[in-house]
Amino acid sequence: MKKIVLILMLAIVFNGIANAQHEVKSLSLQPKIGLNLSKLTNHYDSDFKPGMVVGLDAEWQTKAKFGWSVGLLYSQQGTKYALGDFKYTYNYNYINVPMLANFYVARNLALKTGLQLGFNVSNGYTIEGSGMKENRNDPDVKAVEASIPLGVSYEFNQFVVEARYNLGLTYAVPRTKFSTFQFTLGYRFDVVNGN
């Protein structure tokens, strides 16, 4: 019985690997959801703050081992730190547009890089300490920021697991850039078949 279960599991795995490769000239969509761990660099002694990321990527498979993708992602970013008895938590919400080149270095395994523009849609911060809690808006936030995404993804049975690091290029607030790790799970399907 154990051998039968093992054989069935291996058959499912190999079937997923065989079917996951996308054809040249195919267009696929990938809804995704995941976790951000972000902080502002050179901003006191900031710690990473968790947040959600959710959105959609579209990829055009131009060659067997190369594709272009563009995404539209809602991203919760921020940072947190303590100064004396006070704790500061910054919450920034962005619409991010990553434009990536995807290099398939092995079957279903891609390395990704490109440029991402982030559009701030809301922001604020909370100060807690000494028996008080106060919410404030952050007037110094830039409307648009840019970063370089560096990522790796693996596809299995149309599910895509991805880890990405976004290196801030421009200031999100004066003299401070974002440093963001992003982990997502997506489901990729073709809307235009290739060849």
Side-chain angles (χ1 to χ4, degrees):
M1 183 67 176
K2 289 181 183 178
K3 288 183 182 180
I4 293 172
V5 171
L6 180 61
I7 290 170
L8 286 174
M9 289 175 62
L10 288 173
I12 290 170
V13 167
F14 287 119
N15 182 50
I17 290 171
N19 292 330
Q21 193 70 27
H22 297 270
E23 295 178 355
V24 175
K25 297 184 181 176
S26 66
L27 175 65
S28 63
L29 295 179
Q30 182 193 149
K32 56 172 38 176
I33 189 167
L35 170 71
N36 280 337
L37 294 173
S38 61
K39 75 174 186 173
L40 292 169
T41 59
N42 303 318
H43 195 258
Y44 302 101
D45 191 16
S46 293
D47 291 323
F48 283 99
K49 180 183 176 299
M52 180 183 69
V53 60
V54 62
L56 181 72
D57 282 344
E59 182 172 350
W60 177 252
Q61 193 78 29
T62 56
K63 296 184 178 179
K65 295 188 179 278
F66 183 78
W68 293 102
S69 66
V70 64
L72 189 64
L73 306 172
Y74 170 74
S75 181
Q76 295 176 334
Q77 296 169 212
T79 198
K80 57 184 181 176
Y81 62 90
L83 282 177
D85 294 333
F86 293 93
K87 293 181 182 178
Y88 294 79
T89 304
Y90 286 75
N91 300 299
Y92 302 103
N93 295 306
Y94 284 88
I95 298 296
N96 288 331
V97 181
M99 297 159 282
L100 303 176
N102 303 301
F103 302 91
Y104 290 88
V105 295
R107 191 165 187 86
N108 306 323
L109 180 67
L111 300 180
K112 305 179 176 202
T113 189
L115 178 68
Q116 175 174 281
L117 297 178
F119 301 91
N120 183 260
V121 292
S122 69
N123 67 80
Y125 63 98
T126 303
I127 304 171
E128 293 181 76
S130 298
M132 60 85 75
K133 181 175 181 180
E134 187 176 328
N135 295 316
R136 298 181 183 175
N137 285 331
D138 191 346
D140 296 326
V141 175
K142 307 292 184 189
V144 180
E145 63 102 19
S147 61
I148 296 176
L150 303 167
V152 60
S153 70
Y154 184 77
E155 183 175 349
F156 175 75
N157 279 345
Q158 294 181 271
F159 287 97
V160 180
V161 177
E162 183 173 343
R164 193 181 291 179
Y165 175 69
N166 294 319
L167 173 66
L169 277 181
T170 60
Y171 294 130
V173 295
R175 300 176 306 280
T176 307
K177 302 173 185 178
F178 269 114
S179 176
T180 306
F181 291 95
Q182 188 176 91
F183 307 94
T184 59
L185 175 64
Y187 185 79
R188 183 175 173 183
F189 58 94
D190 289 341
V191 291
V192 175
N193 292 323
N195 289 334

